Amino acid sequence: MSDHLTTNATAPVADPAHAHPFTDRGDYRSAIEQTRQAAASYYTGSNLTMDDATYDALIARITATEAAQPRWTAVDSPTQVVAGIGGDVEHRAPMLSLENCFDDDSLRTWATRLTKLLGRPVATYTVEPKLDGLAVCATYRAGRLVQLATRGDGRAGENVTGQARLLAGLPAQLPEQVDLEVRGEVYMTDADYAAGNELRLAHQEQVFANPRSGAAGSLRAQRPYDVPLTFCAYSAHLLSGPQLDSHSAAVTYLGGLGIATTATTTAGLVVCGSIDDVMAAVARLGAQRGQLGFAIDGVVIKADLLADQDQAGQSSRAPRWGTAYKFPPDTRMTKLLDIAVQVGRTGVITPVAVLEPVHVGGVIVKSATLHNFADLELRDVRVGDTVFVRRAGEVIPEITGALLEARPADAVAFTPPTVCPRCGGDIDRSQKRWRCARGRACGQRELLLYFTARDCMDIEGLGAKILDMLVERRLITDAADLYTLDAATLAALDRLGDISAANLVAAIATSKTRPLSRVFTALGIEMTGRSLSRRIARHFGTMDAILAATIEDWLRVDGIGDGRAASIVAEIAEIKPLIERLADRGVNMTEPGSPALSPSAQTGALPLRRPDGSPMTVVVTGSVPGLSRNESNEAVETLGGKSSGSVSRKTDLVVVGDGAGSKADKAIELGVTVMAADRFTDLLTAHNSGDRATVDAILDQAFAPAG
Ligand code: IVH
């Protein structure tokens, strides 16, 4: 199979229109066999043998071959039958698959074909997430769940009724005594995937390559422990009860019965009147991918009216009234070239995979985290292996496992370091995350550089050279010592004259007035970046509140879960003396504008708050004069707004500067309020100087009704 595996940085061709047909019939047959094996592991959740992109590319080549050589078409080709393994439960009607499209052109072609088939325009379309899990069919009799079966080969599936209790979103008892068949997807939320993999590691089992294999493996397997799963319905067949005439009405009805549906997910279901509206909805969902809390591998578009669906009909494999718009896969295979060992600012030592570059989820990935050394051993990943790399949303790409059957004879098992690679000191192995026994002292230089950086305390003129001299001469050991330096001491350093020394002292003094968000960021606490630090500072308002916070208090901060909370609390306890010395030396420890300081007074005065006090969602695109990207986001939050990376109908304001791209076009297309970057800086200046009249004038102009 290896000659078909694409492991370079070019995304494999998934669209049959652009795929190369096989010229040899034997190759065509062997490709069918490979897809059958890959589908078997896909549907059982056992170790993956192929990534989705490679699978789709093989299907595309098989399809292209059959178009070129129709007489070769095999009856068991994946283009003719639904892939999967059959079972004992025969479905009332076959559970079909969906045809795919991969770009706007092929989506339009599908819509044109459907319109021709109907002989009239499609009345309305629905657009909903394509959940990346496995299809099941649930049967209710008189409101009781009596059977749950997998799709299997489409004709018959496996009975998994015993596992139904694991599924959130699929109640055992409905409030109405209806006879009903519900079809949908079983999937793992991102949080359940992380928790499920922790459980597997604790039981010395291989982790799941992605949430989809996690869902498939957990639904079918009997294990001594339960992994939570979620159900989401995407179709209903009412055998009794009301007559519904559209897909959207059926989904709404299911939601009313307490069954989770595509419409009740964070992605939602949209009804569209035209294919242009469909495209806009597809683009919106694409932009939200990664922030939904669960994996989607595309968007499903359907003719909404059952009358349209009935008339369009279906082939043996897929309906003609629906299609799947596939997104780039978030899990790919590539070669593991090396394993590097990285030492973080605070001394945490982690293995990092050096990869043959590969396209994942739309970007080229060259390195990925291997989490920690215990994980690395359990995942049994070796240099030379073909590995699965997963990049979901904004998270750091991770290696989830190796393709064991493709392991070369000379693949090298990794030998973890015995001493800290940075300072040669001992390693503390008492936790899963290894750390240099010297802890933050090992990363002293990196921590100081980070503390003074532009997005942190922003101390101009204090670069690596001066910091190194200060450390070498033992004038400073940590950040708090910076605030004891005087001009005479600095002027005595090589190459630093009186004027530069005086400027530096002034810059250090100015940095004492930075808001708490900057101070907190500058401390370089593990697992807290700039944006989370801003959220933390706004949430707590003062450093005293941060120092006093319990794990429960931390869990109330948006984006902080158990693991992160415990790690932050431990690190804050460790650096409490440093924080106290910074405060003693006059460094500001409060966050202006934080609702925690004075809830009513603060929210009323903030320009980017809605009348109910909630923050407006603001996207900054292009450059804002005088502000870095981080500073622009800070400014949004100072003004009371919430900064976001993607434009949707829910966005309140888009700030457009030089170099703005498609986000600005999208804002205009969606009718979202747009503000020029220089007006935004005027707004910030007016707000900071308390000039309420100018603030109001700028806001009135921006949000004035059009026309
Ligand atoms: S409708 C007749 N809607 O995708 C087929 N399918 O690639 C009706 N899937 O087998 C399927 N999300 O397992 C539909 N919102 C959604 C879906 C969805 C995921 C799965 C389903 C289907 C596969 C086709």
Side-chain angles (χ1 to χ4, degrees):
M1 108 169 25
S2 57
D3 60 327
H4 295 298
L5 298 183
T6 317
T7 56
N8 56 33
T10 322
V13 178
D15 186 347
H18 304 292
H20 291 297
F22 290 106
T23 46
D24 180 287
R25 194 170 185 172
D27 286 347
Y28 162 77
R29 285 282 342 156
S30 103
I32 290 176
E33 188 48 37
Q34 287 169 43
T35 58
R36 202 195 333 276
Q37 281 175 17
S41 51
Y42 180 115
Y43 290 107
T44 56
S46 53
N47 290 337
L48 292 183
T49 57
M50 199 182 280
D51 66 27
D52 289 1
T54 312
Y55 182 83
D56 286 341
L58 266 187
I59 299 279
R61 290 195 71 183
I62 291 169
T63 311
T65 309
E66 290 166 359
Q69 305 280 357
R71 290 178 48 197
W72 286 8
T73 306
V75 284
D76 60 348
S77 161
T79 63
Q80 308 296 309
V81 292
V82 174
I85 306 167
D88 296 338
V89 181
E90 208 162 304
H91 299 303
R92 187 188 48 79
M95 288 185 77
L96 300 179
S97 190
L98 284 169
E99 297 294 349
N100 294 329
C101 52
F102 298 93
D103 53 28
D104 290 357
D105 283 349
S106 51
L107 178 59
R108 268 190 203 284
T109 307
W110 167 78
T112 310
R113 208 175 343 122
L114 181 56
T115 308
K116 273 198 193 135
L117 203 62
L118 296 178
R120 58 183 152 78
V122 177
T124 44
Y125 298 92
T126 55
V127 178
E128 61 192 300
K130 183 170 184 324
L131 294 133
D132 199 5
L134 79 157
V136 293
C137 177
T139 310
Y140 285 90
R141 293 275 172 232
R144 265 195 74 73
L145 178 66
V146 293
Q147 189 175 70
L148 183 69
T150 65
R151 178 175 73 165
D153 61 5
R155 190 193 52 79
E158 269 182 88
N159 190 339
V160 287
T161 314
Q163 307 287 82
R165 62 186 170 81
L166 296 177
L167 303 183
L170 189 71
Q173 180 70 54
L174 302 178
E176 288 173 30
Q177 302 220 324
V178 277
D179 291 344
L180 182 67
E181 187 185 283
V182 184
R183 291 180 175 186
E185 203 83 348
V186 170
Y187 65 103
M188 256 186 182
T189 63
D190 293 344
D192 288 344
Y193 172 63
N197 270 348
E198 286 289 319
L199 267 174
R200 284 175 75 83
L201 285 172
H203 286 84
Q204 308 275 306
E205 289 183 76
Q206 269 237 330
V207 292
F208 292 120
N210 54 34
R212 203 254 336 281
S213 24
S218 307
L219 185 69
R220 299 175 69 261
Q222 301 291 339
R223 291 191 204 299
Y225 56 91
D226 286 343
V227 179
L229 298 170
T230 306
F231 172 81
C232 175
Y234 53 66
S235 78
H237 302 266
L238 275 83
L239 309 170
S240 70
Q243 291 296 307
L244 301 168
D245 62 1
S246 69
H247 170 55
S248 53
V251 162
T252 306
Y253 174 71
L254 291 184
L257 292 176
I259 297 173
T261 70
T262 47
T264 63
T265 63
T266 44
L269 177 146
V270 196
V271 179
C272 296
S274 70
I275 198 68
D276 287 333
D277 287 352
V278 167
M279 306 256 227
V282 169
R284 272 197 303 279
L285 259 183
Q288 284 171 9
R289 183 190 189 190
Q291 291 139 39
L292 296 169
F294 56 89
I296 61 174
D297 59 341
V299 175
V300 178
I301 301 109
K302 300 171 183 167
D304 190 23
L305 291 192
L306 300 190
D308 283 357
Q309 293 193 0
D310 286 346
Q311 193 182 335
Q314 58 197 45
S315 73
S316 60
R317 207 185 78 88
R320 295 190 193 92
W321 44 259
T323 189
Y325 189 112
K326 293 282 285 271
F327 293 149
D330 67 5
T331 303
R332 293 290 317 278
M333 293 183 304
T334 191
K335 241 216 165 75
L336 179 63
L337 302 177
D338 197 4
I339 296 177
V341 179
Q342 209 171 57
V343 190
R345 281 192 296 271
T346 61
V348 173
I349 306 172
T350 38
V352 176
V354 180
L355 302 170
E356 194 171 284
V358 62
H359 258 278
V360 194
V363 303
I364 293 179
V365 171
K366 296 178 188 153
S367 67
T369 180
L370 281 156
H371 297 283
N372 56 59
F373 295 98
D375 258 31
L376 174 55
E377 199 182 325
L378 278 167
R379 285 172 211 250
D380 190 19
V381 170
R382 301 186 184 178
V383 172
D385 272 345
T386 297
V387 290
F388 290 99
V389 52
R390 175 168 186 263
R391 178 182 169 272
E394 305 301 309
V395 302
I396 303 167
E398 59 169 353
I399 300 298
T400 54
L403 186 62
L404 296 180
E405 63 242 51
R407 171 164 288 167
D410 59 352
V412 190
F414 182 69
T415 313
T418 50
V419 292
C420 169
R422 182 159 57 205
C423 72
D426 287 343
I427 296 177
D428 173 0
R429 297 183 178 79
S430 58
Q431 307 284 321
K432 212 155 69 169
R433 283 190 325 153
W434 291 5
R435 205 171 166 200
C436 171
R438 294 177 62 227
R440 292 172 69 95
C442 170
Q444 182 196 44
R445 183 171 190 271
E446 285 71 17
L447 280 166
L448 279 166
L449 275 170
Y450 188 66
F451 186 85
T452 58
R454 179 167 177 189
D455 285 344
C456 297
M457 297 302 266
D458 193 13
I459 306 180
E460 216 184 314
L462 194 52
K465 279 192 188 132
I466 298 178
L467 280 174
D468 285 345
M469 279 192 276
L470 290 169
V471 172
E472 257 166 45
R473 291 174 200 196
R474 297 184 191 279
L475 292 167
I476 60 170
T477 54
D478 65 18
D481 292 338
L482 290 173
Y483 296 96
T484 62
L485 295 171
D486 56 31
T489 313
L490 289 172
L493 295 178
D494 304 346
R495 275 176 290 144
L496 209 68
D498 287 342
I499 296 178
S500 307
N503 286 344
L504 197 48
V505 170
I508 293 173
T510 306
S511 77
K512 290 184 190 176
T513 61
R514 302 275 177 254
L516 177 62
S517 52
R518 291 295 195 102
V519 181
F520 193 85
T521 310
L523 292 172
I525 292 168
E526 282 284 330
M527 297 206 248
T528 65
R530 290 166 302 193
S531 116
L532 182 56
S533 293
R534 286 201 299 275
R535 228 176 300 148
I536 290 169
R538 276 193 64 76
H539 181 93
F540 290 108
T542 66
M543 186 65 93
D544 282 345
I546 289 179
L547 290 175
T550 60
I551 298 259
E552 287 68 36
D553 296 330
W554 281 101
L555 291 175
R556 278 186 214 113
V557 182
D558 194 17
I560 296 191
D562 287 333
R564 209 187 289 250
S567 160
I568 296 174
V569 166
E571 202 167 329
I572 286 185
E574 189 182 323
I575 59 167
K576 196 169 173 216
L578 168 66
I579 295 173
E580 285 171 349
R581 282 170 51 240
L582 286 167
D584 286 347
R585 286 166 194 178
V587 174
N588 165 61
M589 294 286 169
T590 59
E591 182 68 3
S594 160
L597 295 179
S598 160
S600 52
Q602 299 298 334
T603 52
L606 294 171
L608 296 181
R609 288 282 156 137
R610 301 198 189 95
D612 66 358
S614 62
M616 292 189 192
T617 303
V618 182
V619 175
V620 180
T621 174
S623 60
V624 176
L627 300 184
S628 68
R629 176 43 48 101
N630 179 56
E631 287 165 344
S632 308
N633 290 336
E634 268 180 351
V636 167
E637 287 160 30
T638 303
L639 293 166
K642 190 171 109 189
S643 51
S644 160
S646 57
V647 180
S648 75
R649 275 192 210 284
K650 293 192 181 138
T651 309
D652 296 287
L653 178 69
V654 176
V655 177
V656 177
D658 278 353
S662 59
K663 289 183 195 173
D665 299 339
K666 192 158 170 196
I668 293 164
E669 183 191 318
L670 297 177
V672 173
T673 302
V674 169
M675 183 184 277
D678 50 0
R679 287 306 273 161
F680 179 70
T681 50
D682 291 347
L683 178 66
L684 184 66
T685 313
H687 173 72
N688 286 341
S689 58
D691 179 357
R692 192 71 215 179
T694 306
V695 167
D696 289 343
I698 296 172
L699 292 178
D700 285 349
Q701 193 188 29
F703 290 100

